[in-house]
Amino acid sequence: MELCTACIWTSVQWSHTLTPNRRASYHGSTRSISSVSQRRRRSTLCITNAASTSAPASYQSTTQLPRTNGSGIKSISGDKPSSALEQLDIERGVCIPFRKYTPEMVRKKVLDSRGSILSLASRGAEIIWKLGFYWSSLVYDFLVGRDEEIVPYRARQLRNLLCDLGPSFIKAGQVLANRPDIIREDYMNELCILQDDVPSFPNQVAFAIIEEELGQPLERVFSKISSQTIAAASLGQVYRATLRETGEDVAIKVQRPGIEPIIYRDLFLFRTLASFLNGISLQKLGCNAELIVDEFGEKLLEELDYTLEARNIEDFLENFKDDPTVKIPRVYKQLSGSRALVMEWIDGIRCTDPQAIKEAGIDVEGFLTVGVSAALRQLLEFGLFHGDPHPGNIFAMRDGRIAYVDFGNVAVLSQQNKQILIDAVVHAVNEDYAEMANDFTRLGFLARGTDVSPIIPALEAIWQNSAGKGLADFNFRSVTGKFNQLVYNYPIRIPERFSLVIRSLLTQEGICFTLKPDFKFLEVAYPYVAKRLLTDPNPALRERLIQVLFKDGAFQWKRLENLIVLAKENVSKMSSNPALQKNSSQAVRSRQLQSKLDLTETIKDGARMFLIDAGIRRQLILAFTEDSKLHVEELVDVYRLVEDQIDMPSVALEVLQDLPSVARDFMLSWSDSILSDRQY
């Protein structure tokens, strides 16, 4: 969401100085955050089915389903889930037991309301008239041959039209600004303006809503409140206030009045229209138009409920509780409700102001390193990431930390999705473009059964052209531009959560370039990924590490050395970051943990796998003896890279302590192999 829930203390006029009738009861600072898992609590049930990581790499049964440009992609609609929402759950790898949105619930809520038929008819007529007139203008431009030269004007016209049609259409425009599979890039660029430029509603209305949610007058809770909005968005706006009880500064996010019935009515009309467009959508995107509306509606209704945003904040606080480089504002739940949210005020510097950041004495390189690492942790470690990290939602704290605000739009990646993303990275490293294309199917970009062979050459061309430039010239925007052409020309649909991933990476890369034009995003991202591959105890990542180290059956010694060098670089950058230099026990503990590359678990797992897994043992022995020579020199080079990072006596002791368990597993593995041999 585009709201900025905190910003610098600027020249906002404080015209509302409140006098209390009595002091409000307030105990927000003593509230303890309940323990939550590092993955989102609402997504608790895993689905194991055709979309799982063990799914076949390709599906061969196909029928012709070309896109209008004749791309030749084939797709099949067999084995279709019983509903669009079930299909979304399969793609995500999760089951959501309690939903804010279902088509049936929306239909019932709209049709059961008073005067629903008249309201739907008048709103439908308004939408059809305005959109129909715009569409007829596009047709006229095409017929007279001026459709290309007038694109900038028509893009602005579309943006203004969506603003006129209200909050549902503004949100739809914001979504389209990240959907190259649906609209052209020049239109996307114009719709990006909708992220920030939204008019506010009157203060009196906003204050009345806040009082309703508080259940008491404003003056009992706040000693003062800003007379101007700090930020305004399609669904709400933000004020700054001071708590009377504690004197703390807070941000108050308040929802637009009467917005819920408008959203429900428009979602009903969207889905009704989508049912007539399924044929076109299947041809161009490989999925029903209803599925796209369901994705949009589900996310939109989540953003409408500020209690869910409060839960998002708590989850982010839990995820980053041991990270002294990241600041997440706490939420005052006892002062918040479904239409108003009270949060800690973030007194930071906007990321779009490099001069102010430098004047504050903040190390720009260190701050950007912290930001990239925090973004990658959200994406690949927690699976819960900020879906709208535009410059108004990210701040530089004066101690070098990065601060995030506005958690209405967050996205969840299941363990399955995270593993497939890492698979895609591994396949890119190994230049296995056929498997990269299959990863697209497993992630939901392509319909099940799609023939991916026409996409493989396009993926290869995009990656080789971008990666061939090296880290120095690689940037996500150039890759995304080429990828946008790919998804527009083939029946590829970008799932909502991945459109947020793409937007998140692009936005944060743009912030990096604003603050430091020569900043190399991948020079920070690669070391982080290398460190995770080498140190993460997740068995799935261990398997991916092996895939990276072996190519065409040959062990990649140089690749292992590069991974170690990059991982050490990540540890060095993070441990020396100014944000870690605070005199706090948390920072001291973090420096102790991050000062070295901890390979203990990796070495223990490697020893275990060597003893137990005959296939790995055979591969490693071949790696040491391939090309009819012992690779002692390479092994010595690897040891020299890690000898200053590990305490070999301690590691050896831990391996010995683990020996009984390893011996048991070895005996079980050996007995299984003996029994299986006897069966034959």
Side-chain angles (χ1 to χ4, degrees), residues 20-30 214-222 243-246 332-336:
N21 293 328
R22 58 178 179 169
R23 298 173 72 84
S25 173
Y26 174 65
H27 306 286
S29 59
T30 61
L214 288 172
Q216 55 187 316
L218 285 177
E219 9 352 303
R220 290 187 184 178
V221 180
F222 307 108
L243 292 173
R244 181 169 296 281
E245 183 74 16
T246 65
Y332 300 92
K333 289 190 71 172
Q334 77 281 8
L335 299 177
S336 303

Side-chain angles (χ1 to χ4, degrees), residues 34-46 92-94 311-312 314-316 318-320 377-385 410-419 532 536 538-539 541:
S34 60
S35 175
V36 294
S37 66
Q38 288 193 339
R39 277 177 290 276
R40 194 128 182 246
R41 291 171 295 182
R42 275 175 286 168
S43 302
T44 54
L45 305 180
C46 290
R92 294 166 179 162
V94 297
R311 188 189 304 177
N312 293 338
E314 289 184 328
D315 287 347
F316 271 81
E318 176 68 18
N319 288 344
F320 285 106
R377 288 192 73 195
Q378 293 172 47
L379 182 61
L380 298 176
E381 188 175 337
F382 306 135
L384 176 68
F385 67 94
V410 303
V412 179
L413 290 183
S414 66
Q415 186 68 20
Q416 166 190 304
N417 280 175
K418 289 187 292 179
Q419 289 178 5
R532 283 216 65 202
D536 197 298
N538 188 324
L541 281 181

Side-chain angles (χ1 to χ4, degrees), residues 456-586:
I456 295 172
L459 282 176
E460 183 175 359
I462 291 172
W463 183 255
Q464 288 190 344
N465 180 61
S466 301
K469 298 176 182 178
L471 289 182
D473 298 312
F474 184 97
N475 68 77
F476 283 110
R477 188 159 298 280
S478 63
V479 175
T480 304
K482 297 181 180 68
F483 182 70
N484 289 351
Q485 297 172 15
L486 176 69
V487 299
Y488 194 74
N489 292 328
Y490 293 93
I492 297 174
R493 158 188 155 258
I494 301 181
E496 171 74 11
R497 61 197 181 283
F498 290 115
S499 73
L500 294 178
V501 170
I502 294 169
R503 179 173 71 175
S504 175
L505 291 174
L506 283 175
T507 303
Q508 295 189 67
E509 184 186 58
I511 292 172
C512 292
F513 289 157
T514 299
L515 295 178
K516 194 171 186 291
D518 60 346
F519 184 78
K520 312 303 179 192
F521 192 92
L522 282 191
E523 287 184 358
V524 177
Y526 263 24
Y528 170 83
V529 174
K531 190 186 94 168
R532 283 216 65 202
L533 280 173
L534 287 171
T535 62
D536 197 298
N538 188 324
L541 281 181
R542 289 283 187 266
E543 182 182 336
R544 272 68 179 181
L545 175 61
I546 292 169
Q547 292 175 21
V548 167
L549 294 179
F550 285 92
K551 184 179 180 182
D552 300 327
F555 191 82
Q556 306 295 304
W557 289 100
K558 193 64 180 175
R559 188 172 287 174
L560 175 58
E561 292 178 23
N562 289 339
L563 282 174
I564 294 172
V565 169
L566 288 169
K568 288 172 65 176
E569 180 184 334
N570 176 267
V571 172
S572 175
K573 280 186 176 181
M574 293 304 296
S575 61
S576 63
N577 197 284
L580 282 171
Q581 306 308 314
K582 301 179 302 173
N583 293 320
S584 69
S585 58
Q586 183 186 10

Side-chain angles (χ1 to χ4, degrees), residues 13-310:
Q13 298 297 317
W14 295 81
S15 66
H16 286 70
T17 301
L18 308 178
T19 55
N21 293 328
R22 58 178 179 169
R23 298 173 72 84
S25 173
Y26 174 65
H27 306 286
S29 59
T30 61
R31 184 186 172 279
S32 62
I33 298 174
S34 60
S35 175
V36 294
S37 66
Q38 288 193 339
R39 277 177 290 276
R40 194 128 182 246
R41 291 171 295 182
R42 275 175 286 168
S43 302
T44 54
L45 305 180
C46 290
I47 294 178
T48 53
N49 47 35
S52 71
T53 55
S54 59
S58 62
Y59 305 90
Q60 302 302 324
S61 167
T62 59
T63 52
Q64 186 68 30
L65 218 166
R67 196 158 186 163
T68 52
N69 65 351
S71 62
I73 295 287
K74 299 177 182 179
S75 180
I76 188 170
S77 59
D79 299 326
K80 183 175 67 175
S82 58
S83 75
L85 289 176
E86 287 179 16
Q87 182 176 337
L88 289 176
D89 284 347
I90 291 172
E91 288 176 4
R92 294 166 179 162
V94 297
C95 175
I96 302 175
F98 304 104
R99 294 186 182 276
K100 296 290 296 181
Y101 168 91
T102 64
E104 295 76 17
M105 182 266 291
V106 170
R107 184 184 305 111
K108 185 176 187 303
K109 193 149 189 167
V110 171
L111 295 180
D112 287 352
S113 62
R114 188 174 181 180
S116 60
I117 302 301
L118 181 60
S119 174
L120 286 171
S122 61
R123 178 61 168 170
E126 178 190 12
I127 293 171
I128 292 172
W129 169 254
K130 291 185 176 180
L131 290 182
F133 183 79
Y134 179 77
W135 180 79
S136 64
S137 301
L138 296 179
V139 172
Y140 175 77
D141 293 339
F142 175 76
L143 293 176
V144 300
R146 64 172 190 176
D147 50 316
E148 289 298 326
E149 62 188 64
I150 205 172
V151 161
Y153 171 76
R154 292 302 182 201
R156 287 194 301 274
Q157 191 179 25
L158 176 61
R159 174 172 59 83
N160 293 329
L161 173 61
L162 295 177
C163 285
D164 290 342
L165 286 171
S168 303
F169 285 83
I170 293 174
K171 292 301 297 183
Q174 292 169 357
V175 170
L176 289 174
N178 305 293
R179 294 300 296 265
D181 52 332
I182 298 178
I183 65 169
R184 292 168 39 145
E185 188 170 5
D186 34 24
Y187 279 83
M188 287 171 53
N189 294 334
E190 182 66 30
L191 293 180
C192 283
I193 299 174
L194 291 172
Q195 305 289 349
D196 304 303
D197 189 14
V198 179
S200 61
F201 57 94
N203 288 345
Q204 294 81 356
V205 178
F207 295 160
I209 293 173
I210 297 171
E211 287 188 337
E212 285 181 27
E213 293 296 308
L214 288 172
Q216 55 187 316
L218 285 177
E219 9 352 303
R220 290 187 184 178
V221 180
F222 307 108
S223 59
K224 53 184 175 180
I225 188 168
S226 60
S227 61
Q228 298 178 17
T229 57
I230 303 302
S234 56
L235 301 183
Q237 57 197 38
V238 175
Y239 295 89
R240 182 175 183 174
T242 301
L243 292 173
R244 181 169 296 281
E245 183 74 16
T246 65
E248 294 174 289
D249 293 320
V250 295
I252 309 173
K253 182 176 178 180
V254 57
Q255 192 175 104
R256 287 184 178 272
I259 195 173
E260 186 174 289
I262 296 172
I263 295 291
Y264 275 99
R265 181 190 61 192
D266 286 350
L267 284 176
F268 177 82
L269 292 171
F270 285 165
R271 208 172 192 279
T272 302
L273 175 63
S275 65
F276 295 101
L277 300 176
N278 281 334
I280 298 173
S281 179
L282 276 169
Q283 185 181 38
K284 290 186 173 292
L285 300 175
C287 69
N288 288 331
E290 291 172 327
L291 183 143
I292 296 173
V293 173
D294 288 344
E295 272 189 312
F296 171 69
E298 191 172 43
K299 181 61 66 178
L300 184 54
L301 291 188
E302 283 185 5
E303 286 192 54
L304 271 183
D305 188 349
Y306 287 177
T307 60
L308 293 182
E309 182 170 350

